[in-house]
Amino acid sequence: MNPAELLDGYRDRSCARQWRGFLRAMAAEFGQALPDEESARLMARIGQRFADAHPLPPAATVEALQASVNAVWSECEWGWAAFEERHDQLRIVHACSPFAVALGPGNGWQHGFLEGAYRHWLRAAGMLAVLDVRHLATENRDLSIFTVARVF
């Protein structure tokens, strides 16, 4: 067995089979009923509700915030996040969310959920109003990358 087959096996287990049919049908309906931008906004609102239901404790550092976020993701088996501080932005790399398996391929709006959750948590942590969370395109289905930077 090669490494790609092993990784596919782990991916396959990232979303319970009992939910796949429902979630893929829902994704297909979103795709048919709404433009991608609207679906992304809807998913961001759902992410915000999720984050609101899973409030984080106060955090004095980016490392503490990352640890709190990862405690939530670990509890619901949604992968993990790495926060990377850069001179002009904060980058969030979220690995191994179950979306690729749960919703199937081709849903460009699936990152909206994570974007909404991160936006809500960062605002609650004191993110300045001139900053926002945005998804960055990536070809890796196992990673969602976000930037927290000034909104122009």
Side-chain angles (χ1 to χ4, degrees):
M1 188 172 289
N2 69 43
E5 290 171 325
L6 289 171
L7 188 53
D8 284 343
Y10 285 114
R11 261 190 214 104
D12 190 50
R13 288 171 183 76
S14 70
C15 179
R17 283 185 222 153
Q18 71 197 50
W19 286 103
R20 279 188 215 161
F22 169 78
L23 292 171
R24 288 188 178 176
M26 183 184 71
E29 187 62 27
F30 280 9
Q32 205 169 44
L34 299 170
D36 280 353
E37 308 82 47
E38 281 297 312
S39 294
R41 281 194 287 276
L42 175 61
M43 291 298 285
R45 289 193 305 271
I46 294 168
Q48 178 180 337
R49 286 182 185 272
F50 175 88
D52 194 44
H54 297 85
L56 302 178
T61 65
V62 171
E63 291 81 14
L65 184 61
Q66 175 184 297
S68 296
V69 163
N70 280 325
V72 172
W73 295 138
S74 178
E75 181 67 27
C76 56
E77 298 181 350
W78 266 65
W80 62 90
F83 288 33
E84 303 169 358
E85 286 187 271
R86 298 180 174 197
H87 75 281
D88 62 342
Q89 64 180 256
L90 175 70
R91 186 168 281 204
I92 302 169
V93 179
H94 189 106
C96 299
S97 88
F99 274 127
V101 172
L103 300 180
N107 295 309
W109 45 265
Q110 66 191 9
H111 304 285
F113 174 84
L114 295 172
E115 184 178 291
Y118 286 121
R119 180 179 294 121
H120 186 73
W121 282 328
L122 289 168
R123 284 183 178 157
M127 180 173 73
L128 299 174
V130 296
L131 301 177
D132 200 10
V133 177
R134 293 285 181 232
H135 175 255
L136 301 176
T138 177
E139 295 299 316
N140 187 329
R141 64 182 169 164
D142 298 312
L143 296 177
S144 295
I145 302 174
F146 304 91
T147 185
V148 180
R150 189 173 178 87
V151 178
F152 293 101

